[in-house]
Amino acid sequence: MSKKKFTTIYCTSLVIPLLLLIFPLFSLGNRSTPFIVGLPFSVFWVIAWIIVTFLIVLMMYILDPDKDEEEVQ
């Protein structure tokens, strides 16, 4: 995979969770009535997207084409 394609995929995959955490898309999960694991749904929504973002970053680190190259000075 080329570096440009990797960077495009990386940025796109991180923008999607960001958009789901800010207004107006946060209103999709901004409810307090259903409780999941003892948390209001809005709190669960934020925690779930933080975990998803972490997993995306972890996956992209594993797939990074430049991570094994040694830096030449």
Side-chain angles (χ1 to χ4, degrees):
M1 177 181 331
S2 70
K3 186 64 176 175
K4 183 176 181 178
K5 183 177 179 182
F6 175 79
T7 305
T8 304
I9 293 171
Y10 184 78
C11 292
T12 305
S13 63
L14 290 180
V15 165
I16 292 169
L18 173 70
L19 291 177
L20 290 168
L21 288 173
I22 59 175
F23 181 79
L25 294 178
F26 179 71
S27 63
L28 295 172
N30 192 13
R31 292 180 257 142
S32 62
T33 48
F35 282 88
I36 301 174
V37 193
L39 298 171
F41 187 75
S42 60
V43 175
F44 176 77
W45 178 267
V46 171
I47 292 172
W49 282 111
I50 290 171
I51 292 170
V52 167
T53 305
F54 169 73
L55 293 174
I56 289 171
V57 170
L58 185 64
M59 182 184 67
M60 296 308 287
Y61 173 75
I62 292 169
L63 297 175
D64 187 4
D66 290 341
K67 79 172 183 180
D68 294 330
E69 294 180 8
E70 292 182 22
E71 189 171 320
V72 178
Q73 295 182 9

